[in-house]
Amino acid sequence: MKLQQQLKAPEQLLDRGLADSLATKGFALIDSFLSPELTFEIRDYIDRLRANDDLKKAGIGTAHLHQIDNRVRGDYIRWISRDTEVEALRHYQEQLQYLIQYLNRYCFLGIKDYEMHTTYYPVGTHYEKHIDQLQVNGKRVISFILYLNEDWQTGDGGEIRVYPLDGSDHEDLAPKNGRLALMLSNETPHEVLTVNKPRYSVTGWMLNQFTDTTFVGS
Ligand SMILES: O=C(O)CCC(=O)C(=O)O
Ligand SMILES: [Fe+2]
């Protein structure tokens, strides 16, 4: 299959609501960020990682205080190398560059780099309420999650529950195929509700500094 994605320039990619929503609520959604052909390929790649036992239980805390606690989060991950050979992920990286251009141009976020991993939540798992950036001088600016769940239905679970910064009621967002969720890493509380059907995604963080250590396969 030829994998193609019509790349969208920053202005085409996003309506003005995105910058407003990020600023006032602390999160925003972009539906159909990636085509179904590409999301299928990435999901297929995650299934191959699973089959080869290449996904590892995710931990919590900083590197030197790394713990694995099923009560807090139940997902399995693998970091994505910058020079990944997975074609669909390369298309995703290209599309992300446009998004970063937009965010730097219209939201003045000073994003310089990003890191991301493939993510798999088995049935019965969840991720407790948290914010992604706990350190005061952390480098994570925007958290972004691409969902890869074809035909997601109410009842499949795994919604991301976000707590808006403007104090309005929490919102449960479906992890629909091709959807990209964006959040302010150091401000927006969120959690993943219990998963009733295996849940696939790519989770990433845009950074305000260059990194040559975190965005490597491990
Ligand atoms: O997958 C999601 O919807 C959120 C994941 C998350 O909160 C995280 O990995 O920090
Ligand atoms: Fe998170």
Side-chain angles (χ1 to χ4, degrees):
M1 192 193 337
K2 182 96 182 81
L3 294 178
Q4 271 183 336
Q5 162 101 353
Q6 185 70 45
L7 285 176
K8 296 175 189 131
E11 290 77 6
Q12 284 173 283
L13 188 60
L14 305 154
D15 61 54
R16 282 165 193 277
L18 184 115
D20 286 349
S21 179
L22 265 179
T24 57
K25 294 176 129 189
F27 68 91
L29 289 179
I30 307 174
D31 281 330
S32 307
F33 188 75
L34 218 58
S35 69
E37 292 77 19
L38 293 173
T39 56
F40 177 87
E41 287 299 317
I42 300 173
R43 185 185 160 121
D44 192 55
Y45 169 63
I46 297 176
D47 276 336
R48 275 183 279 130
L49 293 175
R50 288 179 57 221
N52 294 332
D53 208 18
D54 280 336
L55 291 179
K56 298 286 173 258
K57 192 85 186 56
I60 47 173
T62 55
H64 61 282
L65 211 69
H66 194 79
Q67 303 170 39
I68 291 174
D69 187 340
N70 285 325
R71 288 166 305 175
V72 175
R73 65 185 291 191
D75 54 327
Y76 288 75
I77 67 164
R78 185 180 172 87
W79 289 95
I80 297 166
S81 162
R82 193 186 300 276
D83 55 4
T84 175
E85 281 167 14
V86 180
E87 204 188 332
L89 284 172
R90 297 179 87 100
H91 284 283
Y92 180 40
Q93 289 170 338
E94 271 181 75
Q95 192 63 78
L96 282 171
Q97 292 302 341
Y98 280 106
L99 176 60
I100 290 170
Q101 269 180 39
Y102 171 92
L103 292 170
N104 283 341
R105 197 177 294 167
Y106 297 104
C107 306
F108 310 104
L109 289 172
I111 295 157
K112 299 202 169 59
D113 207 350
Y114 61 91
E115 55 189 2
M116 59 184 186
H117 60 63
T118 51
T119 314
Y120 175 76
Y121 284 77
V123 169
T125 59
H126 71 292
Y127 194 157
E128 277 180 12
K129 185 175 175 184
H130 64 282
I131 56 170
D132 286 354
Q133 176 76 273
L134 299 168
Q135 298 143 281
V136 179
N137 292 316
K139 59 190 176 192
R140 291 177 171 180
V141 180
I142 296 280
S143 309
F144 60 100
I145 307 121
L146 173 70
Y147 298 110
L148 308 169
N149 304 296
E150 235 169 61
D151 298 325
W152 185 91
Q153 308 280 334
T154 310
D156 291 350
E159 292 92 341
I160 179 171
R161 175 168 289 177
V162 287
Y163 296 84
L165 300 181
D166 61 9
S168 54
D169 280 351
H170 65 69
E171 293 183 32
D172 292 343
L173 312 171
K176 281 187 193 164
N177 201 30
R179 168 174 275 183
L180 189 79
L182 300 163
M183 285 178 290
L184 300 181
S185 301
N186 60 359
E187 285 185 73
T188 311
H190 57 281
E191 64 187 294
V192 177
L193 303 184
T194 301
V195 166
N196 302 322
K197 199 177 161 191
R199 181 189 196 263
Y200 295 75
S201 56
V202 178
T203 314
W205 294 273
M206 297 177 190
L207 311 172
N208 61 10
Q209 49 188 266
F210 290 104
T211 173
D212 51 8
T213 52
T214 43
F215 194 37
V216 291
S218 63

